[in-house]
Amino acid sequence: VQADGTDGNCVTFVLHDEDHTLGNSLRYMVMKNPDVEFCGYCITHPSESKINFRIQTRGALPAVEPFRKGLNDLMGVCQHVLNTFEVRPFLKTS
């Protein structure tokens, strides 16, 4: 959903079957981008499994760009955690 009167720099993405786990992590990654003026999300209702994820950028940068970058960066962090978890042996307790 694109805000009226914008050139795609203020967009609300609707993510189905998601909750705070993705919403808060993705918000953190997107806000690391200095071209992002606002980023936030809300869960419309506790019984619905979807979030509204809004991004507003400075200048002419389309909001979809930091959204894609945030998703890719988050996937990279998750892959790093998975690789670290798989490489390190478990501590055994006796």
Side-chain angles (χ1 to χ4, degrees):
V1 178
Q2 183 174 324
D4 290 338
T6 66
D7 294 328
N9 68 323
C10 186
V11 177
T12 300
F13 302 92
V14 180
L15 307 174
H16 294 275
D17 298 323
E18 297 298 343
D19 58 15
H20 291 289
T21 304
L22 178 66
N24 197 37
S25 302
L26 184 56
R27 183 198 58 78
Y28 174 79
M29 298 305 282
V30 170
M31 282 304 296
K32 291 174 72 173
N33 186 332
D35 293 325
V36 173
E37 187 172 28
F38 173 81
C39 180
Y41 76 96
C42 69
I43 295 181
T44 56
H45 191 274
S47 67
E48 295 183 32
S49 60
K50 70 177 181 179
I51 61 175
N52 291 337
F53 195 87
R54 186 173 185 91
I55 299 176
Q56 182 174 342
T57 61
R58 293 182 176 89
L61 179 69
V64 72
E65 294 303 318
F67 183 68
R68 280 191 188 120
K69 182 174 178 356
L71 286 170
N72 286 327
D73 291 349
L74 185 57
M75 283 178 25
V77 168
C78 291
Q79 189 61 53
H80 174 73
V81 169
L82 182 61
N83 291 343
T84 302
F85 181 75
E86 289 175 343
V87 168
R88 301 197 184 219
F90 291 104
L91 295 175
K92 295 184 180 180
T93 58
S94 4

